[in-house]
Amino acid sequence: WKYIKLHEHAAMGGKRSWSSCASPQELLRLRLTTMRLFLCYSTEAEEFVYFHSNSSVMPAQPGLPGGSSRALLDLSLCVRSHTQYFNFVELPAAALKFMPKPVFVPDVALIANRFNPDNLMHVFHDDLLPIYYTMQQFSDLDLEARLFFMEGWSEGVHFDLYKLLSNKQPLLREELKTLGRLLCFTKSYVGLSKITTWYQYGFVQPQGPKANILVSGNEIRQFTKFMMQKLTYSLEESSSEEYIVVFSRTINRLILNEAELILALAQEFQMKTISVSLEEHSFSDIVRLISNASMLVSMHGAQLVMSLFLPRGATVVELFPYAINPEHYTPYKTLATLPGMDLQYIAWQNTDKEDTVTYPDRPWDQGGIAHLDKAEQERIIKSTEVPRHLCCRNPEWLFRAYQDTKVNIPSLIHVIRQAVKTKPGPRSRKWSGSLYPGKVRDAKCQASVQGTSDAKLAVSWQIPWNLRYLKVREVKYEVWIQEQGENTYMPYILSHQNHTFSENIKPFTIYLVWIRCIFNKNLLGPFADVLLCST
């Protein structure tokens, strides 16, 4: 960190991609009057500041809900939570003479918000995966870049996982105050790519799989390979012994007969069965055990996101407490069934009220309902299913989510046996990893307008680079076209590398276009970078 005269810097302005915006890109000896945009952060006001001259160029950007217009992008990966926008104030460059001496950040910076760093599902789904793939998109966001987390949370219990993504210590908003009153970024990216999100938590509609899921198991497994290498765990360290892992919860949503369950699984499948927990095992030990497991059994909860480390062909068994419908809460089912994850998913629900222990007198945020009127308490206690609801403080959901369960072992074994006819394990499924297609290359679009109501959109691309080295029977291309600002899209399956679309294409409109390759009907490649096409 060092002080530098501001007139020695100049920003390179211009539009950014949908996943980022950037501040100065080069250290140039230009006069202040030539500066276009310069991003700084005032630690006193706790606001970002854009300094600009009369020649500054600000790209047009969508506004906030409710009519406010001062927002570049949503920093939150949670679909439509409307809680974490990147906002800024503007000042003329001449104001710098009256402000604190700027401290320049020498590192390439990735500026983002974490959604909930104490919850492992949120850490992976909303932070680690998006950070990893944002860094993959830009060559200068390498291991020497620095992460800046501006949401205001403390480090959280999983902060060591964020450290794996960079060789430099991530910085929190509070820590910036010790560095100076005005921090200016020599080069920065703001926001995260949303391509890896597969779930929405129910802020606008009840929770469920995200519309237009773009991620596949191929991207997830590339990320887990990176994480395992950073944990100094070799992918070749695979055990020849087959075993089952039972994820133990030690605070709430307990399995009351866990020891009996472990013994029954071991006897039924003639496999070693071991118990792990976030409280008693290191993260690297849990990854090592899960990455070689034949089956993972766990109560519904954030720890199940660790199933992304399971080997292909393994089985995920998710246990649901009484009155919680498995079809209403599917983040881990959605993950396990992503194309290319190659996991078998099984859900079991406790249907016997006598096998559950509730805690109505606990605080409301731990599932207590004593604060509600008597009639509502009685209704919740008598209810046999939590209705669909919005996030995040539904008392009936919390009441059932914090209850403990005695698992009906014969019922569970029957459900598993219906899906797993033979001995479970990675060796029961064969996967030809090298056959998955890469990204299509050199995607382009060109529009033509006929009158005031008709338009056409011509899209073309080149084959994935690895196609020429593979013997593939059938090659198709999947194209998604979405009007900017809309939640729905039109999917197409095509045989050729170009197509002109006219159906539902409107003039003077921006469309987002995704393209991916499909081998032999079910081997899905990753989507190429999104195309922005204007008619």
Side-chain angles (χ1 to χ4, degrees), residues 216-222 224 290-294 307-315 338-344 424-434 436 523-524:
S216 74
N218 304 326
E219 289 82 27
I220 301 291
R221 293 194 177 280
Q222 180 181 336
T224 56
I290 289 179
S291 65
N292 284 306
S294 298
S307 60
L308 54 78
F309 288 99
L310 282 168
R312 287 184 166 89
T315 301
L338 288 175
M341 281 305 293
D342 294 333
L343 298 176
Q344 185 166 22
R427 287 170 263 308
S428 65
R429 293 188 65 175
K430 208 171 178 184
W431 176 74
S432 301
S434 62
Y436 277 81
L523 299 176
L524 306 177

Side-chain angles (χ1 to χ4, degrees), residues 35-89:
M35 187 172 65
R36 298 175 71 195
L37 291 176
F38 210 91
L39 179 65
C40 299
Y41 180 75
S42 169
T43 59
E44 292 177 312
E46 294 189 337
E47 288 203 75
F48 285 98
V49 185
Y50 263 119
F51 291 101
H52 58 83
S53 68
N54 292 334
S55 61
S56 295
V57 177
M58 285 296 296
Q61 297 288 348
L64 287 165
S68 174
S69 61
R70 304 308 306 130
L72 282 179
L73 74 164
D74 184 358
L75 287 181
S76 170
L77 267 291
C78 298
V79 178
R80 300 184 69 180
S81 65
H82 299 326
T83 58
Q84 303 188 60
Y85 282 95
F86 170 66
N87 220 326
F88 64 94
V89 296

Side-chain angles (χ1 to χ4, degrees), residues 295-334:
M295 181 186 296
L296 176 63
V297 181
S298 174
M299 293 297 296
H300 171 74
Q303 74 284 348
L304 260 171
V305 76
M306 295 292 287
S307 60
L308 54 78
F309 288 99
L310 282 168
R312 287 184 166 89
T315 301
V316 183
V317 182
E318 184 171 9
L319 312 177
F320 286 85
Y322 179 77
I324 295 182
N325 188 333
E327 293 302 315
H328 295 175
Y329 309 93
T330 61
Y332 313 111
K333 177 182 179 180
T334 306

